[in-house]
Short mmCIF file of all heavy atoms in Angstrom, two decimals:
data_model
loop_
_atom_site.label_atom_id
_atom_site.label_comp_id
_atom_site.label_asym_id
_atom_site.label_seq_id
_atom_site.Cartn_x
_atom_site.Cartn_y
_atom_site.Cartn_z
N GLU J 19 0.81 -1.20 0.02
CA GLU J 19 0.02 -0.02 0.01
C GLU J 19 0.82 1.28 -0.01
O GLU J 19 1.99 1.26 0.44
CB GLU J 19 -0.92 0.05 1.22
CG GLU J 19 -1.81 -1.14 1.41
CD GLU J 19 -1.27 -2.14 2.41
OE1 GLU J 19 -0.03 -2.19 2.59
OE2 GLU J 19 -2.07 -2.89 2.99
N SER J 20 0.25 2.32 -0.46
CA SER J 20 0.87 3.67 -0.41
C SER J 20 -0.22 4.70 -0.43
O SER J 20 -1.33 4.42 -0.83
CB SER J 20 1.88 3.90 -1.57
OG SER J 20 1.23 3.85 -2.81
N GLY J 21 0.15 5.94 -0.06
CA GLY J 21 -0.80 7.05 -0.16
C GLY J 21 -1.37 7.56 1.11
O GLY J 21 -2.17 8.50 1.07
N GLY J 22 -1.11 6.91 2.21
CA GLY J 22 -1.65 7.41 3.45
C GLY J 22 -1.02 8.71 3.90
O GLY J 22 -0.04 9.19 3.31
N GLY J 23 -1.56 9.22 5.03
CA GLY J 23 -1.00 10.49 5.52
C GLY J 23 -1.95 11.23 6.42
O GLY J 23 -2.98 10.66 6.86
N LEU J 24 -1.64 12.45 6.70
CA LEU J 24 -2.42 13.33 7.55
C LEU J 24 -3.22 14.30 6.66
O LEU J 24 -2.68 14.92 5.76
CB LEU J 24 -1.58 14.10 8.48
CG LEU J 24 -2.23 15.23 9.35
CD1 LEU J 24 -3.19 14.58 10.34
CD2 LEU J 24 -1.13 16.02 10.08
N VAL J 25 -4.55 14.39 6.89
CA VAL J 25 -5.43 15.25 6.15
C VAL J 25 -6.41 15.85 7.07
O VAL J 25 -6.80 15.27 8.11
CB VAL J 25 -6.11 14.47 4.99
CG1 VAL J 25 -7.00 13.39 5.55
CG2 VAL J 25 -6.83 15.36 4.07
N GLU J 26 -6.86 17.10 6.74
CA GLU J 26 -7.83 17.76 7.53
C GLU J 26 -9.21 17.24 7.25
O GLU J 26 -9.53 16.77 6.17
CB GLU J 26 -7.81 19.27 7.27
CG GLU J 26 -6.55 19.93 7.76
CD GLU J 26 -6.52 21.45 7.61
OE1 GLU J 26 -7.48 21.93 6.92
OE2 GLU J 26 -5.73 22.13 8.17
N PRO J 27 -10.14 17.35 8.15
CA PRO J 27 -11.52 16.93 7.95
C PRO J 27 -12.11 17.61 6.67
O PRO J 27 -11.87 18.83 6.44
CB PRO J 27 -12.27 17.35 9.16
CG PRO J 27 -11.22 17.35 10.28
CD PRO J 27 -9.98 17.81 9.59
N GLY J 28 -12.79 16.86 5.88
CA GLY J 28 -13.32 17.35 4.61
C GLY J 28 -12.34 17.24 3.42
O GLY J 28 -12.79 17.40 2.32
N GLY J 29 -11.10 16.81 3.72
CA GLY J 29 -10.14 16.63 2.66
C GLY J 29 -10.24 15.28 1.97
O GLY J 29 -11.15 14.46 2.25
N SER J 30 -9.30 15.03 1.01
CA SER J 30 -9.31 13.83 0.24
C SER J 30 -7.91 13.20 0.27
O SER J 30 -6.87 13.86 0.41
CB SER J 30 -9.67 14.16 -1.20
OG SER J 30 -10.95 14.68 -1.33
N LEU J 31 -7.93 11.88 0.05
CA LEU J 31 -6.67 11.11 -0.12
C LEU J 31 -7.01 9.99 -1.10
O LEU J 31 -8.16 9.53 -1.16
CB LEU J 31 -6.20 10.46 1.19
CG LEU J 31 -5.42 11.28 2.20
CD1 LEU J 31 -5.13 10.46 3.45
CD2 LEU J 31 -4.13 11.83 1.60
N ARG J 32 -5.99 9.60 -1.81
CA ARG J 32 -6.12 8.38 -2.65
C ARG J 32 -5.05 7.36 -2.23
O ARG J 32 -3.88 7.65 -2.26
CB ARG J 32 -6.00 8.68 -4.13
CG ARG J 32 -6.32 7.47 -4.98
CD ARG J 32 -6.32 7.76 -6.44
NE ARG J 32 -5.04 7.67 -7.09
CZ ARG J 32 -4.76 7.42 -8.32
NH1 ARG J 32 -5.80 7.16 -9.18
NH2 ARG J 32 -3.58 7.43 -8.80
N LEU J 33 -5.54 6.20 -1.84
CA LEU J 33 -4.65 5.10 -1.49
C LEU J 33 -4.45 4.17 -2.72
O LEU J 33 -5.34 4.06 -3.49
CB LEU J 33 -5.28 4.25 -0.35
CG LEU J 33 -5.61 4.99 0.93
CD1 LEU J 33 -6.12 4.01 1.98
CD2 LEU J 33 -4.39 5.77 1.46
N SER J 34 -3.25 3.64 -2.83
CA SER J 34 -2.91 2.70 -3.88
C SER J 34 -2.38 1.41 -3.30
O SER J 34 -1.73 1.49 -2.25
CB SER J 34 -1.91 3.30 -4.87
OG SER J 34 -2.34 4.49 -5.45
N CYS J 35 -2.63 0.32 -3.94
CA CYS J 35 -2.09 -0.91 -3.53
C CYS J 35 -1.70 -1.71 -4.78
O CYS J 35 -2.53 -2.01 -5.62
CB CYS J 35 -3.08 -1.72 -2.73
SG CYS J 35 -2.51 -3.35 -2.18
N THR J 36 -0.44 -2.00 -4.94
CA THR J 36 0.10 -2.71 -6.09
C THR J 36 0.63 -4.03 -5.68
O THR J 36 1.36 -4.12 -4.66
CB THR J 36 1.17 -1.89 -6.81
OG1 THR J 36 0.65 -0.65 -7.21
CG2 THR J 36 1.73 -2.61 -7.99
N ALA J 37 0.28 -5.06 -6.38
CA ALA J 37 0.66 -6.40 -6.09
C ALA J 37 1.58 -6.99 -7.12
O ALA J 37 1.40 -6.82 -8.33
CB ALA J 37 -0.54 -7.33 -5.88
N SER J 38 2.56 -7.74 -6.67
CA SER J 38 3.43 -8.48 -7.60
C SER J 38 3.08 -9.96 -7.38
O SER J 38 2.41 -10.33 -6.44
CB SER J 38 4.91 -8.29 -7.22
OG SER J 38 5.16 -8.58 -5.90
N GLY J 39 3.55 -10.80 -8.35
CA GLY J 39 3.27 -12.22 -8.28
C GLY J 39 2.12 -12.63 -9.19
O GLY J 39 1.81 -11.94 -10.14
N ASN J 40 1.50 -13.71 -8.83
CA ASN J 40 0.52 -14.36 -9.72
C ASN J 40 -0.88 -13.67 -9.52
O ASN J 40 -1.78 -14.24 -8.88
CB ASN J 40 0.38 -15.82 -9.45
CG ASN J 40 -0.52 -16.47 -10.38
OD1 ASN J 40 -0.84 -15.98 -11.49
ND2 ASN J 40 -1.04 -17.65 -10.05
N ILE J 41 -1.01 -12.46 -9.99
CA ILE J 41 -2.22 -11.73 -9.81
C ILE J 41 -3.36 -12.23 -10.72
O ILE J 41 -4.51 -11.88 -10.52
CB ILE J 41 -2.05 -10.22 -9.96
CG1 ILE J 41 -1.66 -9.89 -11.44
CG2 ILE J 41 -1.04 -9.65 -8.97
CD1 ILE J 41 -1.65 -8.47 -11.71
N PHE J 42 -3.06 -13.06 -11.67
CA PHE J 42 -4.09 -13.55 -12.64
C PHE J 42 -5.08 -14.48 -11.91
O PHE J 42 -6.18 -14.70 -12.40
CB PHE J 42 -3.44 -14.28 -13.81
CG PHE J 42 -2.45 -13.37 -14.54
CD1 PHE J 42 -1.10 -13.53 -14.38
CD2 PHE J 42 -2.98 -12.39 -15.36
CE1 PHE J 42 -0.24 -12.71 -15.08
CE2 PHE J 42 -2.09 -11.54 -16.08
CZ PHE J 42 -0.74 -11.74 -15.92
N SER J 43 -4.69 -15.04 -10.74
CA SER J 43 -5.57 -15.90 -9.99
C SER J 43 -6.43 -15.18 -8.99
O SER J 43 -7.27 -15.76 -8.32
CB SER J 43 -4.73 -16.97 -9.25
OG SER J 43 -3.94 -16.34 -8.24
N ILE J 44 -6.27 -13.84 -8.93
CA ILE J 44 -6.98 -13.07 -7.90
C ILE J 44 -8.45 -12.89 -8.33
O ILE J 44 -8.79 -12.47 -9.42
CB ILE J 44 -6.36 -11.69 -7.68
CG1 ILE J 44 -4.92 -11.88 -7.17
CG2 ILE J 44 -7.18 -10.83 -6.75
CD1 ILE J 44 -4.79 -12.63 -5.87
N ASP J 45 -9.35 -13.24 -7.36
CA ASP J 45 -10.81 -13.06 -7.56
C ASP J 45 -11.35 -11.74 -7.09
O ASP J 45 -12.31 -11.22 -7.64
CB ASP J 45 -11.60 -14.20 -6.79
CG ASP J 45 -11.22 -15.57 -7.34
OD1 ASP J 45 -11.10 -15.73 -8.56
OD2 ASP J 45 -11.08 -16.47 -6.49
N ALA J 46 -10.74 -11.18 -6.04
CA ALA J 46 -11.29 -9.95 -5.43
C ALA J 46 -10.11 -9.15 -4.80
O ALA J 46 -9.12 -9.75 -4.40
CB ALA J 46 -12.36 -10.26 -4.42
N ARG J 47 -10.35 -7.88 -4.74
CA ARG J 47 -9.43 -6.94 -4.09
C ARG J 47 -10.24 -6.10 -3.12
O ARG J 47 -11.32 -5.68 -3.47
CB ARG J 47 -8.68 -6.10 -5.09
CG ARG J 47 -7.85 -6.89 -6.08
CD ARG J 47 -7.83 -6.28 -7.46
NE ARG J 47 -6.96 -7.04 -8.41
CZ ARG J 47 -7.36 -8.10 -9.07
NH1 ARG J 47 -8.59 -8.50 -9.02
NH2 ARG J 47 -6.56 -8.68 -9.92
N GLY J 48 -9.68 -5.81 -1.95
CA GLY J 48 -10.45 -5.08 -1.00
C GLY J 48 -9.56 -4.17 -0.17
O GLY J 48 -8.35 -4.35 -0.10
N TRP J 49 -10.21 -3.14 0.42
CA TRP J 49 -9.63 -2.31 1.39
C TRP J 49 -10.29 -2.50 2.75
O TRP J 49 -11.53 -2.54 2.83
CB TRP J 49 -9.72 -0.86 0.99
CG TRP J 49 -8.80 -0.46 -0.10
CD1 TRP J 49 -9.11 -0.39 -1.45
CD2 TRP J 49 -7.42 -0.09 0.02
NE1 TRP J 49 -7.99 -0.02 -2.14
CE2 TRP J 49 -6.97 0.19 -1.30
CE3 TRP J 49 -6.56 0.04 1.09
CZ2 TRP J 49 -5.64 0.57 -1.55
CZ3 TRP J 49 -5.28 0.44 0.81
CH2 TRP J 49 -4.78 0.68 -0.44
N TYR J 50 -9.54 -2.64 3.80
CA TYR J 50 -10.00 -2.81 5.15
C TYR J 50 -9.27 -1.74 6.03
O TYR J 50 -8.27 -1.19 5.60
CB TYR J 50 -9.66 -4.19 5.70
CG TYR J 50 -10.38 -5.30 4.91
CD1 TYR J 50 -10.03 -5.66 3.64
CD2 TYR J 50 -11.40 -6.00 5.55
CE1 TYR J 50 -10.68 -6.61 2.94
CE2 TYR J 50 -12.09 -7.02 4.87
CZ TYR J 50 -11.69 -7.32 3.55
OH TYR J 50 -12.38 -8.29 2.86
N ARG J 51 -9.87 -1.47 7.15
CA ARG J 51 -9.22 -0.57 8.10
C ARG J 51 -9.37 -1.01 9.49
O ARG J 51 -10.30 -1.77 9.87
CB ARG J 51 -9.76 0.87 7.95
CG ARG J 51 -11.21 1.00 8.34
CD ARG J 51 -11.74 2.38 8.00
NE ARG J 51 -13.09 2.64 8.41
CZ ARG J 51 -13.82 3.71 8.07
NH1 ARG J 51 -13.25 4.67 7.31
NH2 ARG J 51 -15.08 3.79 8.50
N GLN J 52 -8.41 -0.61 10.30
CA GLN J 52 -8.41 -0.93 11.74
C GLN J 52 -8.03 0.30 12.59
O GLN J 52 -6.93 0.76 12.42
CB GLN J 52 -7.51 -2.10 12.05
CG GLN J 52 -7.63 -2.61 13.49
CD GLN J 52 -6.97 -3.95 13.68
OE1 GLN J 52 -6.14 -4.35 12.90
NE2 GLN J 52 -7.34 -4.61 14.73
N ALA J 53 -8.99 0.79 13.33
CA ALA J 53 -8.71 1.87 14.23
C ALA J 53 -8.23 1.37 15.60
O ALA J 53 -8.53 0.21 15.92
CB ALA J 53 -9.99 2.70 14.41
N PRO J 54 -7.56 2.16 16.35
CA PRO J 54 -7.11 1.67 17.64
C PRO J 54 -8.24 1.14 18.57
O PRO J 54 -9.28 1.80 18.71
CB PRO J 54 -6.46 2.97 18.27
CG PRO J 54 -6.06 3.81 17.08
CD PRO J 54 -7.15 3.53 16.05
N GLY J 55 -8.03 0.01 19.09
CA GLY J 55 -9.00 -0.62 19.97
C GLY J 55 -10.21 -1.21 19.30
O GLY J 55 -11.15 -1.63 19.98
N LYS J 56 -10.18 -1.18 17.92
CA LYS J 56 -11.30 -1.77 17.23
C LYS J 56 -10.88 -2.89 16.32
O LYS J 56 -9.71 -3.06 16.02
CB LYS J 56 -12.02 -0.64 16.36
CG LYS J 56 -12.62 0.43 17.24
CD LYS J 56 -13.43 1.38 16.33
CE LYS J 56 -14.10 2.50 17.16
NZ LYS J 56 -14.90 3.37 16.31
N GLN J 57 -11.92 -3.70 15.86
CA GLN J 57 -11.56 -4.78 14.97
C GLN J 57 -11.42 -4.22 13.51
O GLN J 57 -11.91 -3.20 13.18
CB GLN J 57 -12.76 -5.76 15.00
CG GLN J 57 -12.88 -6.55 16.28
CD GLN J 57 -13.89 -7.69 16.17
OE1 GLN J 57 -14.88 -7.59 15.43
NE2 GLN J 57 -13.64 -8.80 16.88
N ARG J 58 -10.67 -5.03 12.77
CA ARG J 58 -10.50 -4.69 11.36
C ARG J 58 -11.81 -4.86 10.65
O ARG J 58 -12.56 -5.78 10.93
CB ARG J 58 -9.47 -5.59 10.74
CG ARG J 58 -8.98 -5.19 9.36
CD ARG J 58 -7.82 -6.01 8.92
NE ARG J 58 -6.67 -5.81 9.79
CZ ARG J 58 -5.48 -6.36 9.50
NH1 ARG J 58 -5.29 -7.00 8.35
NH2 ARG J 58 -4.46 -6.19 10.33
#
């Protein structure tokens, strides 16, 4: 992953995730998040 950072409320960010290897077998791609003290 790349693209994270600090932003003010109301702002925008774009995250990117690039994979190497046998990506032709991939069925799905997803983004998940985990805040402190919470489940992913």
Side-chain angles (χ1 to χ4, degrees):
E19 303 99 336
S20 62
L24 173 65
V25 63
E26 293 186 346
S30 298
L31 279 176
R32 189 175 82 154
L33 305 182
S34 300
C35 179
T36 299
S38 58
N40 185 20
I41 64 170
F42 301 104
S43 65
I44 297 301
D45 297 319
R47 296 148 178 86
W49 285 98
Y50 294 73
R51 66 187 181 187
Q52 187 167 18
K56 295 188 176 181
Q57 289 189 329
R58 192 173 298 188

